[in-house]
């Protein structure tokens, strides 16, 4: 992997957490970066008003995969309103930074969770 990635990014890329899809998710979100072709989908299970499970699938660079992985760890245990407050800076901080040319990966993660929870809010 090229220089510029933190040890945390490398770990989440090489050993991503919570990869996959739920059979019956309570909320799903999707984000795409048309310029790079990177995509990130997110499946959430919500139990008693708390995000109980979060799984993701990503296609793209190491930063995209790492961002999806850290996102799932961050949202589990949060309420949907708490999870909606996540920002690009939160993902970047959790990953110990991203190279300037890879910051779009954090945006994908944030967009996916906002998309999922926005759909959920419209359903209720």
């Amino acid at each position: 992997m090229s220089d510029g990635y933190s040890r945390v990014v490398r770990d989440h890329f090489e050993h991503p957490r919570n990869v996959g899809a739920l059979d019956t998710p309570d909320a799903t979100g999707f984000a795409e970066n048309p310029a790079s072709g990177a995509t990130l989908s997110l499946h959430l299970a919500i139990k008693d008003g708390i995000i109980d499970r979060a799984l993701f699938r990503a296609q793209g660079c190491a930063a995209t995969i790492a961002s999806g992985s850290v996102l799932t760890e961050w949202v589990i245990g949060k309420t949907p309103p708490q999870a909606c407050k996540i920002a690009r800076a939160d993902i970047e901080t959790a990953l110990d930074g991203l190279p300037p040319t890879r910051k779009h990966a954090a945006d994908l993660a944030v967009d996916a969770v906002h998309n999922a929870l926005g759909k959920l809010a419209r359903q209720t």
Side-chain angles (χ1 to χ4, degrees):
M1 198 176 313
S2 67
D3 292 344
Y5 286 114
S6 71
R7 183 174 298 153
V8 178
V9 171
R10 290 173 189 259
D11 181 49
H12 276 274
F13 170 68
E14 293 170 1
H15 310 285
R17 284 67 152 176
N18 306 306
V19 175
L22 296 170
D23 290 334
T24 56
D26 296 304
T28 61
F30 181 79
E32 180 178 17
N33 181 324
S36 69
T39 62
L40 195 146
S41 64
L42 179 68
H43 284 201
L44 302 174
I46 301 169
K47 183 177 180 183
D48 299 324
I50 303 292
I51 298 171
D52 183 56
R53 292 191 68 203
L55 298 179
F56 84 101
R57 288 188 178 161
Q59 183 175 354
C61 64
T64 299
I65 294 164
S67 293
S69 177
V70 81
L71 170 71
T72 62
E73 289 190 322
W74 193 87
V75 300
I76 293 172
K78 302 225 177 348
T79 65
Q82 290 170 327
C84 277
K85 293 180 181 175
I86 193 167
R88 178 171 110 176
D90 298 319
I91 298 290
E92 289 182 32
T93 298
L95 290 171
D96 200 19
L98 288 171
T101 60
R102 298 294 182 227
K103 291 186 182 288
H104 68 275
D107 287 327
L108 279 178
V110 170
D111 290 348
V113 74
H114 289 178
N115 179 262
L117 296 173
K119 285 184 204 174
L120 181 66
R122 288 188 295 274
Q123 292 172 355
T124 57

